[in-house]
Structure formats: C-alpha cells, structure tokens
Amino acid sequence: MHLAYPAVLSALLFCTGVYGVLARRNAILVLMSVELMLNAVNLNLVAFDVWLSRAAEETLHSGQALTLFTIAIAAAEIGIGLAIVLAVHRNRGTSDIDKLRDTAEGHGPDGLDGPDDSDDPGDPAVPGGPDTDTPATGTAAEKAEATA
C-alpha cells in the first residue's frame, strides 16, 4: 500500500476535527473533534512507522509506541474532559461554550461588574463628565481637606 492513502485519510480526519473544534458550540462535540484530531495523528504515526520499517529492517517501531502513548493520553483527556463537562453542566445547566465564557461569579460577560464600571472622567456615565449637566464634586485635594 502506498503512503499517500493513509496520509490523505489522516489529513481529512484532522481537517474534520479542526472544523469541529472551531464551529461547534457544544463542549462534548468539541471533545469528540479533538479525539478525531488525535486519531488522525495516530494514523500518521503508524503509517510512517510501517513505511520507514520497510527501509530499515531493524527498527524499534517508535511510531507504534508513540501511538500507544497517544491513545493513553487521549483516554485520560476524554475522561477528565467529560468529568469537567458533566460538573459544569450540573452547576450551570448548559454545556454551550459561548454561555460558559463568564466563569467568574459576580462579573458580567465583558468582565466588568456593571454597566458603569469605568472611572474615566471623560465617560458620559460618570458625574461631572463632559456630556452631563451635573458638576463634579471637587478635586481629590478638596475632598482630602474636607475629611481632615
């Protein structure tokens, strides 16, 4: 068998996995796409190991050994990943990646605590800003003198 057949199949599997990671919003489907990508790598490792073993008779079959290592890593990754997804789904009620972006409690989706978190004096939402009619309450020195 030629090396091109498994290489093309591996490239198709890997591209399908990349599309799944980039396009999917469900965390379980993203994990399945990562598994597709890892299986494409495994297929390449075994194919190149067989191809290179024909050239040299005394090889260590390092591609097959790396494939076994990759399978073990993939099994651990899917076990831990599914445990995390199930725990998040139990706590949040969804496994949608876009809705899980704001994981810190008390923060909005932008990472700000509220709509007017900005302390910029040029902000119209701040009292004394340029577009408001309310005057500023005073400078920091005046406030310090008033409290002393």
Side-chain angles (χ1 to χ4, degrees):
M1 178 183 344
H2 296 289
L3 183 62
Y5 298 132
V8 168
L9 179 62
S10 175
L12 289 174
L13 280 174
F14 194 83
C15 290
T16 305
V18 168
Y19 173 74
V21 167
L22 295 177
R24 300 294 179 186
R25 297 294 176 236
N26 191 348
I28 294 175
L29 292 178
V30 170
L31 285 174
M32 289 174 60
S33 299
V34 169
E35 289 295 319
L36 266 179
M37 291 167 46
L38 287 172
N39 284 331
V41 170
N42 288 340
L43 181 61
N44 257 341
L45 285 171
V46 171
F48 276 97
D49 182 54
V50 169
W51 184 64
L52 291 175
S53 69
R54 290 182 184 164
E57 292 298 323
E58 296 181 20
T59 59
L60 297 176
H61 297 290
S62 58
Q64 292 177 10
L66 282 173
T67 299
L68 288 175
F69 181 71
T70 307
I71 289 171
I73 295 297
E77 175 257 336
I78 200 69
I80 292 172
L82 279 176
I84 291 171
V85 167
L86 287 175
V88 167
H89 187 271
R90 190 176 302 138
N91 290 336
R92 300 266 178 141
T94 184
S95 63
D96 190 6
I97 294 175
D98 288 337
K99 293 179 182 174
L100 298 176
R101 194 169 302 162
D102 54 336
T103 58
E105 292 184 29
H107 293 286
D110 297 338
L112 300 175
D113 289 336
D116 56 348
D117 281 344
S118 173
D119 291 334
D120 183 20
D123 189 8
V126 175
D131 294 337
T132 61
D133 294 333
T134 58
T137 57
T139 62
E142 292 174 355
K143 290 180 183 178
E145 288 178 24
T147 58

